[in-house]
C-alpha cells in the first residue's frame, strides 16, 4: 500500500527531503523528452544508507523507484512511473578524492560533470566524457546513459573511463565493483554492465573515474564539401591517420544555414562541413595538421581553414553546442535521434536520410560526432499538423531501419529510455533481449528499478 510505504519513508527521511506536495511532484515528473508522469513522492537522498532503505521500503511495497540526476535525458529514461518514487541523487554531489598519481577521482553520483572538470583542471587532469549537457548533468546520469561528447572520438565515452562503482541493487544491497587500478582482470566486469543500464540494474551512489591528462586543444580546422558523401569519405580517411583528432564533428548544409542565420557565423553555402580539433604536444602539431589537411583534401573538398585564435575557436564550438536548441527556433517540433553507423558507412547513412527526407516532405537536419559515426538525425515537423506527425513517425521508423541495415546501432550516447524501446527487438534480437531480462531479474528480482524503460 502506498500510504504504508509513505509512512515508513517518513520515519527514515526528514520532511524537507521527502517531497509530497503536488508542485514538487510535478517538478520531478518529466525530463528533456517532454514526457511526464507524476510520482507519489520525491526523495532527495543525502546518504548511501538512505538510498538502501528507500529501495528496501519500495521492495516491500512493490513500488517502482526511478533514480534521477538532473533529468536532462532526451529519451524519457528519467521520467518516473506514475505514483512511483523518484530518488534524486542531486544532493550527493561530493568529490571525495582526486588522486593524480593513480589517475582516478572518487565522486558521489550527483556531482555535476562540469563541476568535477573544474576541480580536476588545476591538477592538469580531465574526465573524458564531455556531453554538451556537462554543466547541468550528473556523473551518475552520465554513467547510467554511457554519455559521451565530441572528445569521445579520441578519449572514449563513460564506459571507457570508469574504474569502479558502488551501487544499490534492487534488494537494497550495496555492491562495489571494479578496482582503483587501471588494470584488473578479477572476475566479471560488472562496472561496465552497470554503465549504460539507465537505472534498471542498480542505483549508482559512488564512482571511481579514470582520469586523463587534460586535452589542450591547440588547433581547430574547418573543411567544407560540395557533397555530404565527400565529407563522409574524408572522415573515413582522417580516422585512418596515425593521430586521431580530439574532435571530429559533422554538420550538413541545413545545419550550416541555421548556424549562419542564428549564430552570426559567416559560413559558405555548401553541403557539409567538418570541424576538427587537434591536441597534443606543441612539437607534433605541425605534422599532425599537415597529415590531417591531406586527409581532408580530396574529391569535393571546397576549402580547408584554420580557426585564427582561441576566440574564433570558442565561437565555433559555442555555435556547434547551440545547434540543437537552435532547431527549436526553426520548427515547432523535432525528433532528435543519435544513431551510429560504422564510419565507413556514413555516406550510405546520409544518402538514405536524404531519400527519407524527400519522401516525407520534412526537413531532416544532421550533425554530430562523425569520427564515431554518431549522427544526430533531427526530423523537424509541426506537431499541430496530423499529416506531418504521421510523416515524422514513418520517417523515424525508416531511419532506424536504415541504420540497422548498415550495421549501426540505435543510440551512441543518449540511450534508449522509453522512446526507443519499440526498436530494441529488431536491433538486438530476441535471445539478447531475453538475456538482458534475466540479468535484470538477478539485479532487481522484484522489477522495481526504473520499470518500463529500455527493454521492450
Ligand atoms: C541540451 C542537452 C545536450 C545534451 N548533450 C548530450 C551530449 O552531448 N552527449 C550525451 O551523451 N548526452 C547528451 N544529452 C543527454 C543527457 O544530458 C545525458 O544523457 C546525461 O548523461 C543525463 O544526465 P542526468 O544527470 O540529467 O541524468 P537523468 O536524465 O536524471 O537520468 C538519465 C538516466 O540515468 C538514470 N540515472 C540517473 N542517475 C542515476 C544513478 N545515480 N544511478 C543509476 N541510474 C541513474 C535515470 O534513471 C535515467 O534512466 C544532452 C541533453 C541535453 C538536454
Amino acid at each position: 500500500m502506498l500510504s504504508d510505504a509513505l509512512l515508513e519513508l517518513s520515519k527514515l527521511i526528514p520532511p524537507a527531503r521527502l517531497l509530497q506536495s503536488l508542485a514538487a511532484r510535478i517538478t520531478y515528473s518529466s525530463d528533456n523528452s517532454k514526457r511526464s508522469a507524476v510520482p507519489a513522492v520525491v526523495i532527495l537522498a543525502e546518504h548511501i544508507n538512505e538510498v538502501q532503505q528507500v529501495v528496501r521500503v519500495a521492495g516491500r511495497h512493490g513500488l517502482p523507484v526511478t533514480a534521477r540526476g538532473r533529468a536532462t535525458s532526451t529519451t524519457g529514461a528519467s521520467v518516473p512511473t506514475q505514483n512511483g518514487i523518484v530518488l534524486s541523487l542531486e544532493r550527493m554531489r561530493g568529490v571525495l578524492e582526486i588522486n593524480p598519481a593513480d589517475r582516478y577521482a572518487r565522486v558521489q553520483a550527483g556531482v555535476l560533470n562540469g563541476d568535477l572538470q573544474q576541480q580536476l583542471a588545476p591538477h592538469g587532469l580531465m574526465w573524458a566524457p564531455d556531453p554538451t549537457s556537462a554543466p547541468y548533468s550528473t556523473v551518475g546520469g552520465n554513467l547510467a546513459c554511457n554519455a559521451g561528447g565530441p572528445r569521445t572520438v579520441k578519449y572514449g565515452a563513460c564506459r571507457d573511463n570508469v574504474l569502479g562503482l558502488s551501487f544499490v541493487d534492487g534488494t537494497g544491497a550495496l555492491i562495489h565493483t571494479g578496482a582503483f587500478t587501471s588494470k584488473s582482470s578479477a572476475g566479471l566486469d560488472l562496472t561496465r554492465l552497470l554503465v549504460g543500464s539507465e537505472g534498471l540494474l542498480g542505483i549508482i551512489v559512488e564512482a571511481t573515474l579514470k582520469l586523463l591528462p587534460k586535452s589542450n586543444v591547440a588547433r581547430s580546422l574547418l573543411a567544407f564539401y560540395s557533397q555530404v558523401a565527400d565529407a563522409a569519405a574524408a572522415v573515413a580517411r582522417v580516422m585512418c591517420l596515425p593521430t586521431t583528432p580530439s574532435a571530429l564533428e559533422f554538420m550538413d548544409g541545413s545545419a550550416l544555414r541555421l548556424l549562419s542565420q542564428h549564430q552570426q557565423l559567416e559560413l559558405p553555402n555548401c553541403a557539409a562541413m567538418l570541424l576538427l580539433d587537434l591536441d597534443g604536444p606543441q612539437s607534433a602539431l605541425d605534422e599532425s595538421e599537415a597529415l590531417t589537411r591531406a586527409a581532408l583534401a580530396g574529391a569535393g573538398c571546397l576549402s580547408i581553414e584554420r580557426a585564427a585564435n582561441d576566440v574564433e575557436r570558442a565561437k565555433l564550438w559555442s555555435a556547434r553546442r547551440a545547434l540543437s536548441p537552435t532547431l527549436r527556433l526553426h520548427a515547432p517540433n523535432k525528433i532528435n535521434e543519435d544513431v551510429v553507423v560504422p564510419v565507413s558507412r556514413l555516406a550510405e547513412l546520409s544518402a538514405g536520410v536524404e531519400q527519407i527526407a524527400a519522401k516525407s516532405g520534412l526537413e531532416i537536419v544532421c550533425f554530430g560526432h562523425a569520427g564515431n559515426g554518431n549522427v544526430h538525425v533531427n526530423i523537424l515537423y509541426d506537431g499541430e499538423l496530423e499529416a506531418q506527425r504521421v510523416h515524422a513517425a514513418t520517417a523515424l521508423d525508416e531511419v532506424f531501419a536504415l541504420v540497422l541495415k548498415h550495421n549501426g546501432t540505435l543510440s551512441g550516447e543518449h540511450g534508449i529510455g522509453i522512446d526507443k524501446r519499440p526498436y530494441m527487438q529488431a536491433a538486438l534480437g530476441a535471445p539478447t533481449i531475453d538475456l538482458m531480462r534475466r540479468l535484470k531479474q538477478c539485479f532487481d528480482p522484484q522489477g522495481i528499478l526504473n520499470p518500463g524503460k529500455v527493454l521492450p
Side-chain angles (χ1 to χ4, degrees):
M1 279 279 287
L2 179 60
S3 55
D4 294 342
L6 290 175
L7 188 65
E8 277 189 54
L9 289 170
S10 66
K11 291 178 185 154
L12 300 169
I13 312 286
R17 296 194 283 110
L18 185 81
L19 313 182
Q20 298 186 65
S21 73
L22 182 60
R25 291 185 290 125
I26 289 176
T27 304
Y28 285 81
S29 65
S30 56
D31 63 10
N32 196 54
S33 69
K34 310 283 178 278
R35 289 175 183 270
S36 76
V38 181
V41 62
V42 177
I43 292 161
L44 309 179
E46 286 190 353
H47 308 285
I48 293 176
N49 69 349
E50 288 178 351
V51 175
Q52 291 182 272
Q53 285 171 324
V54 168
V55 170
R56 285 187 190 126
V57 171
R60 277 200 290 281
H61 297 277
L63 287 176
V65 182
T66 299
R68 186 177 172 107
R70 288 298 181 95
T72 62
S73 167
T74 57
T75 66
S78 42
V79 172
T81 308
Q82 189 80 23
N83 284 326
I85 297 175
V86 167
L87 186 49
S88 170
L89 282 295
E90 70 196 281
R91 293 202 174 191
M92 294 177 63
R93 47 175 183 257
V95 175
L96 307 173
E97 181 187 358
I98 295 176
N99 188 326
D102 294 327
R103 291 265 177 93
Y104 71 73
R106 220 159 45 79
V107 302
Q108 291 185 309
V111 67
L112 297 182
N113 179 317
D115 288 352
L116 171 65
Q117 307 290 1
Q118 276 182 16
Q119 296 197 39
L120 294 174
H123 301 273
L125 296 167
M126 66 174 186
W127 186 48
D130 60 337
T132 307
S133 58
Y136 36 84
S137 65
T138 64
V139 167
N142 292 171
L143 290 165
C145 297
N146 192 23
R151 281 200 299 239
T152 301
V153 64
K154 184 166 184 177
Y155 297 108
C158 284
R159 205 168 262 140
D160 312 298
N161 290 285
V162 57
L163 299 177
L165 295 174
S166 298
F167 71 91
V168 174
D169 75 3
T171 70
L174 178 64
I175 315 273
H176 304 285
T177 72
F180 292 97
T181 53
S182 56
K183 288 185 81 177
S184 165
S185 55
L188 301 185
D189 192 346
L190 298 178
T191 308
R192 276 156 200 81
L193 182 57
L194 256 287
V195 177
S197 64
E198 300 188 31
L200 263 65
L201 303 183
I203 299 180
I204 299 166
V205 286
E206 284 182 15
T208 306
L209 306 173
K210 176 176 155 187
L211 303 180
L212 296 173
K214 193 168 176 341
S215 155
N216 290 315
V217 175
R219 297 193 188 168
S220 296
L221 298 178
L222 293 171
F224 300 95
Y225 295 88
S226 54
Q227 304 284 335
V228 172
D230 296 328
V235 171
R237 290 194 298 273
V238 170
M239 292 309 291
C240 290
L241 292 175
T243 55
T244 306
S246 56
L248 173 40
E249 300 285 298
F250 160 82
M251 280 156 243
D252 72 4
S254 305
L256 291 182
R257 280 188 289 284
L258 282 173
L259 283 187
S260 302
Q261 263 173 33
H262 298 287
Q263 300 294 323
Q264 286 85 45
L265 279 180
E266 280 180 36
L267 296 168
N269 189 6
C270 63
M273 178 181 99
L274 299 179
L275 167 59
L276 296 89
D277 276 352
L278 306 178
D279 66 357
Q282 204 64 31
S283 55
L285 278 174
D286 283 342
E287 189 188 347
S288 168
E289 180 176 338
L291 285 172
T292 309
R293 278 179 179 268
L296 289 171
C301 180
L302 302 171
S303 65
I304 302 173
E305 292 168 22
R306 183 165 114 186
N309 48 39
D310 286 351
V311 176
E312 203 175 299
R313 184 180 309 125
K315 195 170 164 196
L316 277 170
W317 275 102
S318 91
R320 161 65 187 87
R321 279 190 279 272
L323 245 178
S324 191
T326 300
L327 292 174
R328 295 213 186 270
L329 306 174
H330 198 60
N333 301 89
K334 64 167 179 170
I335 299 174
N336 169 11
E337 292 305 341
D338 72 316
V339 298
V340 197
V341 292
V343 167
S344 61
R345 303 282 187 95
L346 274 171
E348 282 111 317
L349 175 70
S350 51
V353 170
E354 271 175 31
Q355 281 173 13
I356 293 168
K359 193 173 136 202
S360 67
L362 299 175
E363 187 174 7
I364 302 185
V365 180
C366 292
F367 57 89
H369 318 300
N372 293 107
N374 184 192
V375 180
H376 294 288
V377 175
N378 293 273
I379 304 170
L380 307 185
Y381 67 103
D382 184 346
E384 297 288 313
L385 304 174
E386 161 79 13
Q388 288 208 7
R389 275 204 311 274
V390 173
H391 287 314
T394 308
L396 180 63
D397 290 348
E398 291 172 354
V399 167
F400 283 132
L402 175 72
V403 165
L404 297 180
K405 184 174 124 193
H406 290 294
N407 289 349
T409 180
L410 301 178
S411 170
E413 52 186 26
H414 291 171
I416 301 302
I418 299 173
D419 291 356
K420 280 167 261 185
R421 277 171 79 207
Y423 302 97
M424 285 288 273
Q425 187 90 7
L428 301 183
T432 307
I433 297 285
D434 183 50
L435 178 59
M436 287 186 178
R437 280 191 201 289
R438 282 183 280 137
L439 282 168
K440 161 102 173 133
Q441 172 80 18
C442 288
F443 282 75
D444 176 25
Q446 288 180 267
I448 55 169
L449 297 182
N450 212 10
K453 315 289 160 53
V454 182
L455 298 172

